[in-house]
């Protein structure tokens, strides 16, 4: 067998050229489809309680499917997943269990142990691990113990329950290896970690998403049926679908073949007769309840399971082999071993090539982070118009005025990069932009598609608003899509030697609509100082920013204004990139840069209330409360809110200014960041040795005041990154009485939230968050690119030693990556000290990428599988091995600005 070192890259190239569709099958099956907005047809909009976990085994999903370690085609017509039973559980394990937002003492929380060990972007290789207790799964105890606990207590998880004590559990692995885009080889391994022999029922399942029971679909019903097996296969099943065609599933080991329908058990759920005798929960009733008549003796249906009863000795492993193919195979398993070995080796070569010089530990972090990004690709299906109207039922009248009712145009049926396949099995607009920065490391074409998806007319509102997330499309997230687009564009240019200007044009046109929406809606006074609500930072403020203020009061937000300055600069740079090929776009660059200057003028206090958001005494940006009489109160809080304006920073190289006479003239007119006679930002007319200009909201004099505070361990700089709120607020909690708000209090809380604000399942009052830290690193690097090594500042974390910006960025990036590295005590900070991840040989190499991290210990908090934006650690690991500015930027020709 010959391993082709560039095989995975070739598959991606074939996908790009349309020669092969390697994305046809992928890990698109969610870990949870119950408890979502899409499945909620209640009167009160309580999605968690309307369709809970207990119903999920019996109730057919309307919009998308879920399963353990599963895959589907990209339209989720046909699904494959795993079901397990240890002989003791009260239910068949077909999907991950967790607590609802109301059950958990810290909001929704998955109570399972599963890991995305490996994946390649073509999905030619996928590796999943599930740890299944051999004792009865503690469903009731998990619910009751978390209900007993308060917000001051840690959540109670499956490991805490003792379910894995003394090794009495199964390691169940699922391996997928594609021989071609339409032929998948599957191996399921069950390893007995206990000292005793044990029995496991293992059911690979194949089923169709129910598209035939809903009034809006009206599709032909597909069918699964038994056919005589071929040579080398113990059994064979055919899956006929009107649009997908016919697939064949082969099994190598003998099994009890079970058939039923993927339709609701109305008798069980609603006490109404079933229209058909065979329903979704048939396999549970057959195995767990011993109801042999629950399955179809005719061996046909829309849901299939192959029940394997495995009795395995201590420390031993059992295996099941399957093949799923779009064409009949006379000897389906003849190359099974070879294909599995080859795809794994090609995955090794693919990831090794990303950073050959990286340590073994860093390679593990990089690979598992990117595997999580790939496994969190999910099929997302939601037609708001059909959902509002109802499916064969009359919805409550309140629905027409309720959640997402202004988004009737929204029609999604796509594979999207999700934050977390269980806790967040839906897209989040600002998360997705960060996902693309990580995904672009390995699959820039998929990253580009994701950027464009939310700007598609089926998603983007006609008024220009980008949908936030399914719980409230109207919510306002930070405008980071331009950041994501530029990141992806630049990544492709580095990888392929040329950027995709056509992509940039398409994105820019839609982002200009979004930019206009922001200006019209969130700049209430037309003074270029922005509001915007909570902006994804949940409880970071002294005030719930999603709530309305009393009449006459307005909150001028430093973060909203900083985000908009960043947005304007990014649009400027995008237009300049396009103008190299199409000079007409120079006018757009001028317009966007003029908007940036206007924002800089306002944030400097030369417009509106005439009070700057910049507090020169404290050297920090702060929110302002504008009162009905025009007076202003500054909100003295030190948090990400005051750091975000630093993100408005771009370096414009000489290449972008060549032949851009009008734009260069504009630069000269506002040299030194001057606007109407006042210095408002850092836009110096001078260039560095490469002829580059700095366009930045923050000046060098501001930067030298901000950075010592940011890199002070008694304020923002923790051993694991920049905290979301300064540690000074551990003691300085009371801000003062603020008109329109009352007594304002902020408290540094480094771990989980101690309040129920925004559901209480996240916390921006102390912990370390990866996305904002990532943007801070990017901004510091840009500043260094322009200012060079000569610019230094005293770093309190190094006893006041003067460091340059490159050193600062590297130090911050390393502290973030250290969350997942073993420290001098051989412990991983992301896990508790007593976690089996620290020392147990079957756990110690398994990583989880949490939603956020404790501000003092680095322990992972919140959603446990949010590789999403925490997958940015892959970018940080890679940058550790990059020592200088890329060659592309060093070769630019110096161009001076025009004075005419």
């Amino acid at each position: 067998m010959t391993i082709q070192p560039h095989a995975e890259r070739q598959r991606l190239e074939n996908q790009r050229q349309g020669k092969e569709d390697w994305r046809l099958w992928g890990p698109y099956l969610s870990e949870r489809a119950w408890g979502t907005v899409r499945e909620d047809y209640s009167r009160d909009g309580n999605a968690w309680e309307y369709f809970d976990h207990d119903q999920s085994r019996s109730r057919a999903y309307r919009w998308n499917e879920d399963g353990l370690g599963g895959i589907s085609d990209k339209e989720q017509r046909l699904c494959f997943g795993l079901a397990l039973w240890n002989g003791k559980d009260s239910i068949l394990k077909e999907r991950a269990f967790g607590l609802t937002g109301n059950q958990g003492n810290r909001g929704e929380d998955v109570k399972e142990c599963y890991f995305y060990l490996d994946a390649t972007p073509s999905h030619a290789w996928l590796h999943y691990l599930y740890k299944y207790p051999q004792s009865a799964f503690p469903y009731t105890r998990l619910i009751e113990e978390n209900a007993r606990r308060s917000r001051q207590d840690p959540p109670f998880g499956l490991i805490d329950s003792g379910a894995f004590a003394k090794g009495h559990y199964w390691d169940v692995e699922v391996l997928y290896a594609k021989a071609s885009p339409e032929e998948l080889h599957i191996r399921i391994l069950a390893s007995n970690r206990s000292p005793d022999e044990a029995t496991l029922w293992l059911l690979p399942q194949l089923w169709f998403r129910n598209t035939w029971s809903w009034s809006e679909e009206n599709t032909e019903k597909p069918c699964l049926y038994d056919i005589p097996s071929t040579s080398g296969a113990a059994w064979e099943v055919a899956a006929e679908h009107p649009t997908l065609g016919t697939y064949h599933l082969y099994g190598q080991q003998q099994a009890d073949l079970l058939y039923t329908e993927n339709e609701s058990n109305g008798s069980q759920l609603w006490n109404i007769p079933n229209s058909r005798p065979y329903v979704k929960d048939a396999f549970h009733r057959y195995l767990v309840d011993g109801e042999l008549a629950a399955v179809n003796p005719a061996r046909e249906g829309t849901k299939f399971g192959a029940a394997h009863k495995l009795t395995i000795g201590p420390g031993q492993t059992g295996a099941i082999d399957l093949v799923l193919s779009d064409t009949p195979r006379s000897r389906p398993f003849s190359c099974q071993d070879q294909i599995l070995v080859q795809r794994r080796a090609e995955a090794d070569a693919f990831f090794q090539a990303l950073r050959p010089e990286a340590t073994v530990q860093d390679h593990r972090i990089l690979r598992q982070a990117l595997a999580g990004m790939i496994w969190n690709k999910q099929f997302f299906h939601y037609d708001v118009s059909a959902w509002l109207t109802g499916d064969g039922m009359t919805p409550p009248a309140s629905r027409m005025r309720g959640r997402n009712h202004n988004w009737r145009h929204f029609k999604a049926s796509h594979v999207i990069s999700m934050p977390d396949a269980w806790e967040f099995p839906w897209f989040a607009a600002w998360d997705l932009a960060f996902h693309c920065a990580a995904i672009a490391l390995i699959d820039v074409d998929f990253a580009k598609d994701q950027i464009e998806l939310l700007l598609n007319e089926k998603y983007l509102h006609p008024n220009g608003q980008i949908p936030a997330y399914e719980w409230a499309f109207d919510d306002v997230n930070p405008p980071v899509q331009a950041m994501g687009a530029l990141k992806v564009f630049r990544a492709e240019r580095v990888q392929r030697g040329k950027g995709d200007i056509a992509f940039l044009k398409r994105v820019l046109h839609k982002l200009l609509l979004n930019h206009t929406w922001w200006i019209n809606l969130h700049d209430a006074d037309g003074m270029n100082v922005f509001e915007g609500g909570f902006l994804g930072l949940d409880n970071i403020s002294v005030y719930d920013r999603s709530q309305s203020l009393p009449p006459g009061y307005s909150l001028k937000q430093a973060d909203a204004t900083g985000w908009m300055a960043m947005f304007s600069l990014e649009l400027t740079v995008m237009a300049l990139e396009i103008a190299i090929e199409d000079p007409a776009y120079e006018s757009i660059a001028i317009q966007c840069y003029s908007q940036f200057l206007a924002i800089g003028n306002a944030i400097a206090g030369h417009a509106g209330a005439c009070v700057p958001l910049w507090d020169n005494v404290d050297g920090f940006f702060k929110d302002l409360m504008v009162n009905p009489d025009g007076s202003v109160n500054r909100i003295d809080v030190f948090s990400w809110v005051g750091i975000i304006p630093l993100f408005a920073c771009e370096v414009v190289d000489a290449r972008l200014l060549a032949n851009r006479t009008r734009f260069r003239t504009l630069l000269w007119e506002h040299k030194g960041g001057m606007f109407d006679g006042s210095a408002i930002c850092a836009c110096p007319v001078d260039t560095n040795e490469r002829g580059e200009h700095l366009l930045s909201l923050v000046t060098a004099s501001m930067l030298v005041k901000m950075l010592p505070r940011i890199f002070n361990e008694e304020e923002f700089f923790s051993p694991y990154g920049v905290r979301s709120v300064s540690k000074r607020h551990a003691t300085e909690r009371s801000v003062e009485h603020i008109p329109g708000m009352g007594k304002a209090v902020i408290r540094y809380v480094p771990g989980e939230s101690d309040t129920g604000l925004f559901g209480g399942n996240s916390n921006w009052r102390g912990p370390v968050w990866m996305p904002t830290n990532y943007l801070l690193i990017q901004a510091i690097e840009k500043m260094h690119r322009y200012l060079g090594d000569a610019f230094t500042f005293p770093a309190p974390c190094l006893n006041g030693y003067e460091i340059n910006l490159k050193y600062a960025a590297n130090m911050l990036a390393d502290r973030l990556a250290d969350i997942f590295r073993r420290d001098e005590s051989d412990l991983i900070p992301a896990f508790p000290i007593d976690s089996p991840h620290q020392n147990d040989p079957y756990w110690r190499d398994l990583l989880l990428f949490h939603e956020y991290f404790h501000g003092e210990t680095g322990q992972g908090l919140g959603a446990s599988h949010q590789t999403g934006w925490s997958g940015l650690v892959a970018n940080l690991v890679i940058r550790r091995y990059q020592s200088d500015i890329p060659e592309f930027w060093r070769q630019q020709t110096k161009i001076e600005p025009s004075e005419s």
Side-chain angles (χ1 to χ4, degrees):
M1 179 183 65
T2 302
I3 302 301
Q4 300 297 324
H6 305 297
E8 178 63 13
R9 284 289 173 197
Q10 188 59 55
R11 283 190 280 271
L12 295 176
E13 182 60 23
N14 291 347
Q15 176 78 43
R16 183 169 80 101
Q17 295 181 11
K19 295 179 180 179
E20 296 176 302
D21 189 5
W22 287 95
R23 293 185 197 166
L24 174 61
W25 286 87
Y28 310 141
L29 190 66
S30 179
E31 302 288 355
R32 173 175 67 85
W34 56 273
T36 66
V37 166
R38 283 156 286 157
E39 297 292 344
D40 177 24
Y41 288 81
S42 67
R43 293 183 177 275
D44 58 5
N46 194 332
W48 284 112
E49 272 61 44
Y50 178 75
F51 195 152
D52 61 17
H53 176 267
D54 195 48
Q55 296 179 55
S56 62
R57 68 178 174 274
S58 303
R59 187 170 177 175
Y61 293 122
R62 166 65 178 92
W63 296 100
N64 67 288
E65 296 289 327
D66 61 14
L68 290 178
I71 60 173
S72 77
D73 70 279
K74 62 186 178 183
E75 296 180 32
Q76 203 160 96
R77 292 161 290 190
L78 184 59
C79 307
F80 176 91
L82 194 60
L84 304 165
W85 189 50
N86 57 17
K88 300 172 184 176
D89 281 353
S90 58
I91 62 175
L92 179 66
K93 174 71 69 174
E94 295 180 279
R95 59 190 52 80
F97 169 75
L99 303 186
T100 70
N102 296 325
Q103 288 176 325
N105 67 318
R106 297 193 179 281
E108 66 268 23
D109 188 11
V110 66
K111 300 299 184 183
E112 303 274 14
C113 293
Y114 57 95
F115 304 88
Y116 304 130
L117 296 184
D118 208 2
T120 55
S122 71
H123 319 131
W125 172 252
L126 300 168
H127 189 183
Y128 168 93
L129 169 64
Y130 177 76
K131 289 183 177 285
Y132 186 39
Q134 292 176 356
S135 59
F137 196 93
Y139 293 106
T140 301
R141 188 180 176 205
L142 289 167
I143 293 171
E144 291 178 350
E145 177 60 25
N146 281 281
R148 186 188 65 79
R149 297 190 175 200
S150 71
R151 290 197 179 278
Q152 280 62 49
D153 299 314
F156 182 75
L158 186 57
I159 293 176
D160 304 317
S161 74
F164 302 107
K166 298 181 181 180
H168 288 282
Y169 67 92
W170 298 95
D171 268 345
V172 182
E173 299 173 72
V174 187
L175 313 176
Y176 298 95
K178 293 183 184 178
S180 73
E182 299 84 15
E183 182 182 336
L184 295 89
H185 291 252
I186 306 165
R187 176 164 291 166
I188 304 171
L189 303 173
S191 299
N192 181 6
R193 300 302 182 204
S194 82
D196 305 311
E197 184 179 82
T199 298
L200 173 69
W201 281 260
L202 200 156
L203 284 79
Q205 296 189 126
L206 189 70
W207 72 99
F208 292 109
R209 177 167 61 90
N210 189 326
T211 59
W212 57 89
S213 296
W214 323 106
S215 58
E216 290 292 326
E217 297 283 351
N218 194 26
T219 59
E220 180 183 343
K221 186 177 179 180
C223 186
L224 291 156
Y225 56 90
D226 193 50
I227 60 177
S229 61
T230 63
S231 174
W235 50 266
E236 179 180 350
V237 173
E240 287 187 1
H241 191 278
T243 62
L244 184 62
T246 300
Y247 270 78
H248 301 259
L249 180 66
Y250 301 93
Q252 192 169 36
Q253 289 78 24
Q254 292 292 338
D256 190 2
L257 307 185
L258 311 176
Y259 289 83
T260 189
E261 301 293 338
N262 185 17
E263 298 182 12
S264 296
N265 185 346
S267 176
Q268 170 71 24
L269 294 164
W270 307 297
N271 199 30
I272 60 175
N274 291 323
S275 59
R276 292 181 177 84
Y278 309 109
V279 289
K280 182 178 178 180
D281 58 13
F283 303 161
H284 158 80
R285 289 155 49 212
Y286 178 89
L287 275 179
V288 179
D289 298 337
E291 189 180 334
L292 302 185
V295 299
N296 189 347
R299 292 198 168 194
E300 63 179 21
T302 50
K303 181 180 178 182
F304 163 81
H308 299 74
K309 184 179 179 181
L310 306 178
T311 299
I312 300 174
Q316 301 300 304
T317 298
I320 294 173
D321 283 348
L322 307 106
V323 172
L324 181 64
S325 173
D326 70 333
T327 56
R329 301 288 171 184
S330 59
R331 300 176 62 222
F333 297 98
S334 60
C335 298
Q336 178 99 336
D337 289 339
Q338 178 182 344
I339 291 169
L340 285 162
V341 170
Q342 185 164 340
R343 293 297 178 262
R344 187 195 292 266
E346 289 166 356
D348 291 343
F350 176 77
F351 285 105
Q352 182 67 24
L354 287 179
R355 271 289 164 255
E357 67 275 38
T359 65
V360 172
Q361 182 172 225
D362 278 354
H363 265 298
R364 183 181 302 117
I365 296 168
L366 175 66
R367 191 158 176 173
Q368 290 191 35
L370 292 173
M373 299 299 304
I374 294 167
W375 274 95
N376 278 342
K377 295 179 182 179
Q378 305 286 288
F379 173 74
F380 183 82
H381 187 207
Y382 189 19
D383 182 327
V384 172
S385 181
W387 179 75
L388 288 171
T389 303
D391 295 293
M393 65 183 99
T394 302
S398 60
R399 168 161 295 210
M400 295 303 175
R401 302 183 302 277
R403 178 180 286 140
N404 298 334
H405 71 278
N406 289 325
W407 292 79
R408 280 187 168 271
H409 73 285
F410 187 96
K411 298 181 188 300
S413 184
H414 301 92
V415 171
I416 307 180
S417 175
M418 305 295 189
D420 181 311
W422 193 93
E423 295 210 22
F424 302 100
W426 29 262
F427 74 86
W430 82 301
D431 298 56
L432 184 55
F434 292 102
H435 299 181
C436 291
I439 292 170
L441 295 172
I442 53 173
D443 190 356
V444 72
D445 296 305
F446 182 75
K448 286 162 63 179
D449 291 346
Q450 293 293 286
I451 291 291
E452 291 199 73
L453 186 60
L454 292 196
L455 301 176
N456 183 280
E457 62 273 9
K458 292 183 178 181
Y459 290 74
L460 187 70
H461 198 281
N463 66 15
Q465 184 177 8
I466 294 173
Y469 38 73
E470 69 172 28
W471 288 91
F473 284 151
D474 282 326
D475 269 358
V476 181
N477 282 176
V480 291
Q481 281 67 35
M483 176 277 299
L486 269 177
K487 189 69 181 173
V488 170
F489 172 80
R490 289 164 173 166
E492 181 174 25
R493 181 165 56 196
V494 169
Q495 294 170 22
R496 293 175 174 155
K498 182 177 175 60
D500 187 346
I501 294 298
F503 159 77
L504 216 54
K505 277 187 175 182
R506 295 190 301 269
V507 169
L508 177 61
H509 294 164
K510 295 299 186 72
L511 288 175
L512 287 170
L513 293 176
N514 182 240
H515 189 256
T516 301
W517 173 83
W518 263 90
I519 291 172
N520 288 341
L521 192 65
H522 293 285
D523 178 16
D525 303 321
M527 293 297 179
N528 298 295
V529 180
F530 292 83
E531 299 161 34
F534 83 109
L535 284 172
L537 305 186
D538 291 13
N539 63 343
I540 199 166
S541 178
V542 295
Y543 167 73
D544 183 349
R545 300 192 303 182
S546 66
Q547 301 299 315
S548 298
L549 289 164
Y553 293 91
S554 63
L555 183 66
K556 303 304 181 184
Q557 298 176 210
D559 55 338
T561 307
W563 288 123
M564 277 303 290
M566 171 180 140
F567 192 7
S568 300
L569 270 188
E570 288 160 346
L571 294 180
T572 300
V573 173
M574 291 170 73
L576 287 173
E577 290 280 4
I578 298 169
I580 294 174
E581 294 186 7
D582 189 342
Y585 281 77
E586 183 178 12
S587 295
I588 296 178
I590 291 171
Q591 187 66 42
C592 294
Y593 184 59
S594 298
Q595 179 65 50
F596 165 76
L597 291 171
I599 293 172
N601 187 54
I603 207 170
H606 302 301
C610 295
V611 177
L613 296 178
W614 171 256
D615 183 340
N616 198 49
V617 175
D618 284 334
F620 210 68
F621 290 95
K622 297 176 183 176
D623 287 349
L624 299 176
M625 175 65 78
V626 181
N627 306 316
D629 62 0
S631 61
V632 173
N633 292 85
R634 193 184 299 281
I635 301 178
D636 290 318
V637 171
F638 296 87
S639 71
W640 271 118
V641 168
I643 299 175
I644 285 170
L646 179 55
F647 300 168
C649 173
E650 286 291 336
V651 176
V652 177
D653 62 280
R655 174 186 55 90
L656 295 178
L657 297 180
N659 303 316
R660 300 282 75 80
T661 305
R662 292 170 57 216
F663 189 84
R664 287 159 55 197
T665 299
L666 182 64
L667 286 181
W668 184 261
E669 289 175 354
H670 297 283
K671 60 183 179 181
M674 298 296 291
F675 189 92
D676 289 344
S678 302
I680 61 162
C681 59
C683 298
V685 69
D686 298 325
T687 61
N688 62 13
E689 61 184 10
R690 290 177 300 278
E692 296 170 331
H693 286 269
L694 176 69
L695 309 181
S696 172
L697 200 60
V698 172
T699 65
S701 62
M702 291 176 171
L703 190 63
V704 82
K705 289 187 175 183
M706 293 180 72
L707 291 179
R709 187 182 298 278
I710 294 172
F711 284 87
N712 185 341
E713 291 177 333
E714 295 305 311
E715 290 218 37
F716 283 101
F717 204 42
S718 91
Y720 306 103
V722 171
R723 304 175 176 105
S724 45
V725 165
S726 170
K727 192 175 179 178
R728 70 184 293 167
H729 289 302
T731 54
E732 298 178 21
R733 300 176 181 180
S734 179
V735 178
E736 62 180 21
H737 180 86
I738 300 175
M741 288 186 185
K743 183 176 176 58
V745 177
I746 189 76
R747 187 164 69 89
Y748 170 68
V749 181
E752 300 271 19
S753 174
D754 58 1
T755 74
L757 200 61
F758 291 93
N761 60 346
S762 69
N763 183 23
W764 284 86
R765 291 188 175 180
V768 172
W769 288 77
M770 195 67 73
T772 44
N773 271 272
Y774 177 76
L775 288 181
L776 178 58
I777 291 169
Q778 295 279 293
I780 294 173
E781 286 184 325
K782 290 173 187 175
M783 287 286 194
H784 175 259
R785 181 174 142 191
Y786 178 79
L787 295 171
D789 290 339
F791 182 92
T792 63
F793 68 94
C797 62
L798 299 174
N799 297 318
Y801 185 80
E802 293 278 337
I803 62 173
N804 63 34
L805 297 175
K806 179 179 180 180
Y807 189 96
N810 289 342
M811 182 168 54
L812 174 53
D814 264 347
R815 288 199 180 195
L816 290 162
D818 283 348
I819 292 171
F820 307 98
R821 294 181 179 130
R822 291 194 172 273
D823 61 20
E824 63 276 4
S825 301
D826 198 34
L827 299 175
I828 300 174
F831 298 111
I833 293 176
D834 60 351
S835 167
H837 289 275
Q838 303 293 8
N839 299 305
D840 190 302
Y842 296 117
W843 293 75
R844 64 177 280 121
D845 290 337
L846 306 176
L847 295 174
L848 291 174
F849 300 89
H850 286 76
E851 185 180 2
Y852 54 100
F853 305 90
H854 196 285
E856 299 300 320
T857 68
Q859 183 178 327
L861 303 170
S864 57
H865 292 75
Q866 192 165 334
T867 316
W869 59 26
S870 291
L872 288 166
V873 69
N875 300 69
L876 302 181
V877 167
I878 283 181
R879 75 177 298 286
R880 187 185 202 190
Y881 301 94
Q882 292 174 335
S883 59
D884 206 351
I885 295 172
E887 185 67 22
F888 178 87
W889 299 111
R890 294 204 304 268
Q891 294 178 352
Q892 304 311 313
T893 304
K894 185 171 181 177
I895 295 178
E896 299 293 346
S898 170
E899 296 188 32
S900 59

